[in-house]
């Protein structure tokens, strides 16, 4: 009887192991092979996501929903409100340079709340491995609205999933140093603030994006079409510009554009009426 029990358990072990979500290794430190093509979505409800694919939805300001094939929902620069669609994210990231990038009262039902700051000047280190996705950060400095600043007071958050490396620059106030660039690695997709002053002036932001050489740049933190247009004009020599005319797109590693591309999404809160 004991022998039969051991044999049964040994046969079940591979099945149980196969059910554990695994993460395709990303290429943060190496260029991925690239071929043209992306699937654009304008759905505001929670979509199904194909295997080895990531769903990105621009919610508002600097907040994005990042959704995995397995149903992980992650929200960047979470303010406590994502729209009328009832959703408890699995992970939220926050930055504290301004109140439009964090909330003091995140829902306690959220399993993983990742602030981009720690003790004053000390920064914070996150490396949250959820199997299907790894979420990590690179600390950056912030300046005060009036004077002074704080070292390591904010973070760039990086999501490694479906073989992709997706970066959210947050409320970035300075160009990363050599060690920070190295820690960031190769970003396939980057969400970049392009307001031209509240974060960084456009020449500095453009220099950062050209150095990162991401396949896809998604502008965020812009306050008018005029300001957005200034950024797009300045980038158009080296980047293809595509206006998605919606808030969402789905990205996979084997369908990244062959030429660096700016994907302009139109922010839209998650709605329960779709």
């Amino acid at each position: 009887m004991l022998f039969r029990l051991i044999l049964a358990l040994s046969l079940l072990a591979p099945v149980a192991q196969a059910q554990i979500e695994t993460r395709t290794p990303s290429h943060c430190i190496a260029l991925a092979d690239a071929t043209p093509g992306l699937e654009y979505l304008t759905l505001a409800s929670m979509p199904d996501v194909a295997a080895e694919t990531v769903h990105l939805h621009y919610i508002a300001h600097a907040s994005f929903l990042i959704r995995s094939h397995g149903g992980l929902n992650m929200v960047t620069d979470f303010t406590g409100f994502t729209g009328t669609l009832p959703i408890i994210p699995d992970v939220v990231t926050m930055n504290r340079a301004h109140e439009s990038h964090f909330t003091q009262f995140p829902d306690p039902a959220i399993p993983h709340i990742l602030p981009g700051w720690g003790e004053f000047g000390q920064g914070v280190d996150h490396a949250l491995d959820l199997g299907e996705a790894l979420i990590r950060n690179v600390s950056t400095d912030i300046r005060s609205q009036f004077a002074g600043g704080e070292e390591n007071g904010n973070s760039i958050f990086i999501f490694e999933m479906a073989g992709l490396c997706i970066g959210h620059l947050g409320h970035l106030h300075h160009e990363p140093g050599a060690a920070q660039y190295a820690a960031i690695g190769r970003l396939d997709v980057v969400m970049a603030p392009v307001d031209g002053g509240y974060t960084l002036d456009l020449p500095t932001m453009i220099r950062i994006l050209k150095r990162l050489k991401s396949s896809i740049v998604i502008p965020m933190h812009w306050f008018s079409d005029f300001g957005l247009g200034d950024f797009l004009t300045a980038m158009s020599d080296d980047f293809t510009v595509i206006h998605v005319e919606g808030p969402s797109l789905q990205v996979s590693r084997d369908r990244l554009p062959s030429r660096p591309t700016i994907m302009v999404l139109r922010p839209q809160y998650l709605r329960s009426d779709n």
Side-chain angles (χ1 to χ4, degrees):
M1 178 65 69
L2 179 60
F3 173 79
R4 290 179 181 177
L5 178 60
I6 294 173
L7 177 61
L9 290 175
S10 67
L11 292 175
L12 286 174
V15 177
Q17 183 65 32
Q19 293 175 342
I20 298 175
E21 289 285 357
T22 58
R23 180 176 66 256
T24 301
S26 68
H27 291 255
C28 286
I29 312 300
L31 294 176
D33 293 334
T35 55
L38 287 171
E39 178 182 359
Y40 311 132
L41 300 179
T42 56
L43 298 175
S45 58
M46 302 302 285
D48 292 330
V49 182
E52 299 302 313
T53 301
V54 178
H55 176 80
L56 303 173
H57 181 109
Y58 188 12
I59 298 172
H61 198 56
S63 288
F64 287 81
L65 169 69
I66 302 173
R67 180 171 167 82
S68 75
H69 166 66
L72 285 175
N73 294 309
M74 297 157 280
V75 177
T76 67
D77 280 22
F78 179 67
T79 64
F81 180 74
T82 59
T84 59
L85 182 70
I87 175 177
I88 300 295
D90 299 286
V91 181
V92 299
T93 67
M94 298 188 293
N95 275 304
R96 71 173 177 188
H98 294 286
E99 291 186 355
S100 53
H101 294 256
F102 75 98
T103 174
Q104 296 184 25
F105 307 103
D107 191 325
I110 298 171
H112 304 284
I113 299 169
L114 307 183
W117 64 92
E119 295 295 327
F120 187 90
Q122 298 302 306
V124 66
D125 291 313
H126 294 296
L128 176 63
D129 193 338
L130 298 179
E132 199 180 13
L134 170 68
I135 303 97
R136 60 186 177 87
N137 74 301
V138 176
S139 291
T140 62
D141 303 343
I142 59 172
R143 60 178 181 268
S144 167
Q145 184 177 358
F146 303 103
E150 178 186 351
E151 292 184 359
N152 302 314
N154 265 350
S155 286
I156 294 169
F157 279 94
I158 299 164
F159 303 78
E160 298 187 33
M161 52 195 298
L164 295 165
C165 205
I166 300 170
H168 185 281
L169 298 185
H171 209 281
L172 188 61
H173 286 174
H174 63 89
E175 181 169 5
Q180 290 168 317
Y181 272 123
I184 293 167
R186 160 68 178 174
L187 298 180
D188 299 296
V189 181
V190 61
M191 295 89 149
V194 299
D195 53 86
Y198 289 97
T199 53
L200 284 171
D201 60 276
L202 279 184
T204 302
M205 179 54 65
I206 290 169
R207 184 168 64 248
I208 292 169
L209 294 175
K210 290 185 176 180
R211 174 162 177 171
L212 289 174
K213 298 180 181 179
S214 300
S215 296
I216 297 175
V217 174
I218 301 176
M220 66 172 185
H221 209 266
W222 44 273
F223 298 95
S224 72
D225 283 344
F226 296 106
L228 175 62
D230 290 341
F231 168 75
L232 297 178
T233 298
M235 293 283 283
S236 59
D237 287 345
D238 297 313
F239 287 73
T240 298
V241 176
I242 295 178
H243 292 268
V244 177
E245 303 300 341
S248 305
L249 59 87
Q250 292 199 3
V251 185
S252 61
R253 189 176 71 186
D254 63 347
R255 299 172 65 195
L256 292 171
S258 57
R259 186 173 189 263
T261 299
I262 299 171
M263 308 293 294
V264 181
L265 303 181
R266 292 285 165 174
Q268 182 179 341
Y269 285 110
L270 301 175
R271 300 201 309 252
S272 58
D273 56 351
N274 283 2

